[in-house]
Amino acid sequence: MPAARESLLDAAHTALARRPWSAVRMVDVAATAGVSRQTLYNEFGSKDGLARALVRREADGYLAGVDRALTVHSDVRDRLTAAAEWTAAAARQNALVRAMLTGCWSERLPSPALSPVRSGSAVPAQRRADGPLPSPGDLVALVRDRAVAVLTSPGVPGPADTAELARACELVVRLALSCIAAPPPAEGGVADLVRSALYRQPVP
């Protein structure tokens, strides 16, 4: 039930914006989504299953945004800068993304274990959510590897040294993370910081 699943996740996300996760009730999530409580339990199994699915969806949404940012411009530095800006913006706008990127989970948020849990779900999306969830280090590596894959794909002019490119990509992600923890002045912001660092790197 993909449509019902998305509606339930949207309802859970909205509820989380209004109250701590501990105060979010499954019956209210189901009612907001316009489905039965049984449908909710069939889809996620439990409140923890719902939390894992919500975290997984937000992680996937963040990574999809990284992929989009990496294709907006033709210049390698501009692509990496766009990915850094997206990372900082996503963390500002979404508490779950911020928690995943920094590892700082407040009491208001669900805090599912990053390790996989036993899953008996018949729902493929839930079995995936019940698998391992990404740590901050995992997300850094995923963004770095995605950036390298995009920037070394056929038709994209880029550096011959993939190792140097990987280092530059990781530097960009870590600079973006530092801007989440300690936001730079509004003028220029993360883009100026990233561009300044990249022009010292062996990136074309």
Side-chain angles (χ1 to χ4, degrees), residues 4-75:
R5 186 179 181 86
E6 284 304 306
S7 294
L8 286 162
L9 291 171
D10 288 343
H13 194 271
T14 299
L16 182 60
R18 296 174 178 160
R19 62 185 71 92
W21 183 250
S22 60
V24 173
R25 300 191 314 155
M26 296 286 271
V27 64
D28 295 334
V29 171
T32 300
V35 302
S36 69
R37 190 167 54 167
Q38 188 58 52
T39 297
L40 189 158
Y41 280 102
N42 289 345
E43 196 69 32
F44 301 102
S46 65
K47 189 175 179 181
D48 184 63
L50 175 61
R52 294 185 71 84
L54 185 58
V55 169
R56 170 60 66 186
R57 185 183 74 162
E58 300 311 304
D60 290 346
Y62 161 68
L63 291 170
V66 168
D67 291 341
R68 288 192 299 273
L70 288 167
T71 60
V72 169
H73 303 284
S74 56
D75 179 77

Side-chain angles (χ1 to χ4, degrees), residues 39-184:
T39 297
L40 189 158
Y41 280 102
N42 289 345
E43 196 69 32
F44 301 102
S46 65
K47 189 175 179 181
D48 184 63
L50 175 61
R52 294 185 71 84
L54 185 58
V55 169
R56 170 60 66 186
R57 185 183 74 162
E58 300 311 304
D60 290 346
Y62 161 68
L63 291 170
V66 168
D67 291 341
R68 288 192 299 273
L70 288 167
T71 60
V72 169
H73 303 284
S74 56
D75 179 77
V76 170
R77 289 185 178 90
D78 289 342
R79 289 181 185 222
L80 290 174
T81 301
E85 288 182 303
W86 162 251
T87 294
R92 278 196 308 271
Q93 296 162 8
N94 189 319
L96 284 172
V97 170
R98 184 166 58 251
M100 282 185 279
L101 287 168
T102 63
C104 298
W105 295 81
S106 77
E107 293 178 358
R108 288 188 56 85
L109 299 176
S111 53
L114 299 182
S115 56
V117 298
R118 180 177 294 177
S119 179
S121 178
V123 180
Q126 189 56 37
R127 288 201 300 274
R128 181 168 178 265
D130 289 340
L133 296 174
S135 68
D138 294 334
L139 285 171
V140 169
L142 284 167
V143 174
R144 178 199 63 212
D145 294 347
R146 282 167 182 249
V148 170
V150 168
L151 298 176
T152 57
S153 59
V156 177
D161 191 339
T162 304
E164 288 290 350
L165 178 60
R167 278 191 285 274
C169 292
E170 183 155 343
L171 171 66
V172 165
V173 181
R174 293 190 180 280
L175 280 172
L177 292 180
S178 74
C179 291
I180 295 167

